[in-house]
Amino acid sequence: MLALGSPTMGVRTNTTCNVLLRELQQIWNDIGETEADQDRMLLELERECLDVYRRKVDEAANCKARLHQSVAAKEAELATLVASLGELNIQSPIQAEKRSKSLKEKLSSVAPLVEDLKMKKEERMKQFSDIKTQIEKISGEISGYSHIDNTAIGSLSMDEQDLSLRKLTEFQTHLRSLQKEKSDRLHKVLEHVNEVHSLCAVLNLDFGQTVSEVHPSLHGTSIEQSTNISNSTLEGLELTILKLKTERKVRIQKLKDIVVSLSELWNLMDSSREEKNNFSRIAFILGKSETEITEQGFLSMEIIDQASQEVERLTKLKASRMKELVIKKRSELEEICRMTHIEPDTSTAIEKSTAMIDSGLVDPSELLANIEAQILKAKEEAISRKEIMDRIDRWLAACEEENWLEEYSLDHNRYSAGRGAHINLKRAERARVTVTKIPAMVDNLINRTLSWEDERKKLFLYDGARLVSILEDYKLSRQQKEEEKKRYRDQKKLQDLLLTEKESIYGSKPSPRKTNSFRKPNGYRANGNGSMTTTPRRSSVGSATPELMTPRSYSGRQNGYFKEMRRLSTAPLNYVAITKEDTMSFASVCGSELGSPPHG
């Protein structure tokens, strides 16, 4: 029998084997086995025992090999963990222990450290994984998940062989860089979105639909949905803002044109305040810039359409009333010309204008614009003529006073104590003072008119006639009138002389014929309607001289505005202020002197 390695175990085994062997020999003896059989069976038993020992040795060798392999594996795993985690200060406990250890002791000392490093590696890998997930997410948001920058992410791909703090710091640095870029992009996106919202509010457009066309996340209702901050989103927002600004500019210009048209039509149509108040909100657009227009819905198509419809309505109304407007403006022009004694342009006369509009030969708007231009020109002309026209009015007023004074002088009852006689007497005194100023007035007016003509290089026309010519004619007529008066005074003196001589010859003054049917008091005669008109006065010599030419007498020949003519002369030159009694006496005296005396 083979002895075992351990003495205690060998003694115990031998004792047990010896007891069993003696018991087996006793059994064999009892059975009657021969010694040869007993030796043979003992040999077999010994071989079986060797086989068992051999098998156990093999098993023990295999176990040792496995333990040795496990220890080596743990050593290798430990080295790998230390290298991947970058824990250079960790050493293997087997290498640190100088004395020899059994394989199980070695394994038991390395295994806990390996497990600790494994847990640390898992935590480190989780950190890397979280950071990488954030990097990929932010990179996807920046790139729009369509073309992620795999090169940049690949350089930061998680490598289990390198889980060091240095690598972790590199990942964290890149993550912070991406977070900063994301924050900047998000801020820029929000700025663009706010600007789009403001523009949509002014233009009255659907903000949600507008930004959703760029990217749904810009107007998403889901909390989990993140705002897209990719380059395509930024470019889309910038393009949308550009389109909205262009649309705003177009609408502003359109609305300004509409407001200008409305203003012109309102002025043209004399629109009421109520009609204007309906569009007072948009009327202020003319004084605003694009950036100042921020009121919600101010540039909505609804408002523009309403204003356009109002322009169309007024345009149609203008077309239907154009003839009336043309006539009204032409009448306004004629009134201005009448007040300033300017000849209006005959090309836009009411009859011609009406005929042209009815025939369709001219656009009423162009005709109206032409008349308005003439009105403006007439007003400017009136301003330049005002000083001279004021002097003409003073001259005409003086001529009227002269005319009244002449008629007053013919009234034989002017000194009677009748009602109002003292008032007429005072007026006559003032009129005589005024009449003495007429020649100076005329000369000064001529000089002023000539100066005006020299300055403007054109003639000063008064109702179509040159004012200087009218004034020169008036001076000539006035001179002729003064000469006529002088001849009359000379004839009166001769008449008085002849009457005195006749009286001395015949001893009495001949009585003129009393024909009351030809005489009316105060030099007036009744007309058909019972009013009093000036009695024509004829000169004894029957001379005929032209009337005093004044602007009023010229205007009577030029147009029909002055139907009621007021003559500025004191009396027609072919009539001399002499009573009919004096005329008859003068004729009788002349007859007596030139012929035979009448029979008594």
Side-chain angles (χ1 to χ4, degrees), residues 109-150:
S109 63
V110 173
L113 184 57
V114 171
E115 293 300 323
D116 290 341
L117 291 178
K118 281 185 177 180
M119 292 179 62
K120 192 172 184 179
K121 179 180 179 180
E122 290 179 359
E123 293 177 359
R124 187 72 57 83
M125 289 182 66
K126 186 175 181 302
Q127 289 179 317
F128 272 93
S129 179
D130 292 341
I131 295 175
K132 184 179 180 182
T133 300
Q134 295 182 55
I135 290 175
E136 291 177 349
K137 180 181 178 182
I138 297 176
S139 298
E141 292 175 351
I142 294 175
S143 62
Y145 297 101
S146 57
H147 45 84
I148 301 177
D149 190 357
N150 294 319

Side-chain angles (χ1 to χ4, degrees), residues 256-291:
K256 284 185 177 181
D257 294 340
I258 291 174
V259 170
V260 171
S261 300
L262 276 178
S263 300
E264 294 176 353
L265 290 170
W266 284 338
N267 295 333
L268 188 63
M269 307 295 292
D270 294 330
S271 299
S272 63
R273 184 179 296 273
E274 290 74 14
E275 290 178 324
K276 295 179 180 180
N277 287 338
N278 294 333
F279 297 92
S280 59
R281 176 187 177 190
I282 65 172
F284 298 101
I285 193 175
L286 296 179
K288 290 186 177 181
S289 62
E290 293 183 15
T291 56

Side-chain angles (χ1 to χ4, degrees), residues 463-590:
D463 292 331
R466 188 185 179 193
L467 179 61
V468 173
S469 300
I470 296 174
L471 295 172
E472 295 291 349
D473 291 344
Y474 174 79
K475 287 178 64 178
L476 179 60
S477 299
R478 189 177 183 82
Q479 182 180 358
Q480 293 176 352
K481 177 183 175 183
E482 293 297 331
E483 293 175 356
E484 187 70 22
K485 285 182 178 180
K486 182 178 180 182
R487 287 195 299 269
Y488 166 70
R489 287 193 295 269
D490 293 342
Q491 291 174 358
K492 182 66 174 176
K493 290 179 182 179
L494 178 60
Q495 178 185 4
D496 293 340
L497 179 61
L498 293 176
L499 288 175
T500 302
E501 292 178 356
K502 180 123 181 169
E503 184 177 356
S504 64
I505 296 174
Y506 295 100
S508 64
K509 184 177 180 179
S511 299
R513 289 182 298 176
K514 296 181 180 181
T515 309
N516 294 332
S517 59
F518 293 99
R519 297 184 61 197
K520 295 295 176 181
N522 299 331
Y524 292 91
R525 61 184 177 85
N527 59 15
N529 57 9
S531 62
M532 303 302 291
T533 59
T534 306
T535 304
R537 298 179 294 278
R538 299 181 181 276
S539 64
S540 60
V541 295
S543 62
T545 58
E547 296 180 352
L548 289 178
M549 305 305 291
T550 66
R552 299 190 189 279
S553 61
Y554 270 83
S555 64
R557 298 203 308 270
Q558 295 298 326
N559 56 55
Y561 285 125
F562 307 104
K563 293 183 179 180
E564 296 182 1
M565 303 282 294
R566 293 182 295 172
R567 295 182 180 179
L568 302 180
S569 60
T570 57
L573 291 180
N574 57 343
Y575 298 107
V576 180
I578 180 173
T579 61
K580 292 185 179 180
E581 294 88 344
D582 295 338
T583 304
M584 293 178 182
S585 299
F586 178 73
S588 62
V589 171
C590 291

Side-chain angles (χ1 to χ4, degrees), residues 151-275:
T151 303
I153 297 179
S155 63
L156 295 173
S157 61
M158 186 175 63
D159 183 6
E160 295 186 6
Q161 301 300 322
D162 187 2
L163 300 176
S164 62
L165 290 176
R166 179 189 59 79
K167 191 69 172 181
L168 182 63
T169 304
E170 184 180 344
F171 268 61
Q172 291 173 340
T173 302
H174 186 65
L175 176 61
R176 285 193 294 270
S177 176
L178 289 176
Q179 288 174 338
K180 176 66 169 55
E181 183 178 355
K182 176 182 177 179
S183 177
D184 294 341
R185 283 174 173 264
L186 185 60
H187 181 70
K188 197 169 185 179
V189 166
L190 292 179
E191 283 185 349
H192 288 345
V193 169
N194 290 336
E195 188 170 2
V196 171
H197 184 273
S198 177
L199 290 170
C200 288
V202 174
L203 298 172
N204 198 28
L205 299 176
D206 189 343
F207 166 72
Q209 180 180 356
T210 302
V211 295
S212 295
E213 291 177 356
V214 178
H215 197 276
S217 67
L218 299 177
H219 191 62
T221 58
S222 175
I223 300 177
E224 294 79 7
Q225 185 177 13
S226 60
T227 301
N228 188 280
I229 56 174
S230 64
N231 290 334
S232 60
T233 299
L234 289 172
E235 292 173 358
L237 286 173
E238 291 173 355
L239 182 60
T240 300
I241 291 173
L242 180 60
K243 289 181 179 178
L244 291 176
K245 286 184 176 180
T246 303
E247 179 66 17
R248 180 180 65 177
K249 185 175 183 180
V250 171
R251 291 192 185 185
I252 287 176
Q253 187 59 45
K254 183 183 295 185
L255 197 57
K256 284 185 177 181
D257 294 340
I258 291 174
V259 170
V260 171
S261 300
L262 276 178
S263 300
E264 294 176 353
L265 290 170
W266 284 338
N267 295 333
L268 188 63
M269 307 295 292
D270 294 330
S271 299
S272 63
R273 184 179 296 273
E274 290 74 14
E275 290 178 324

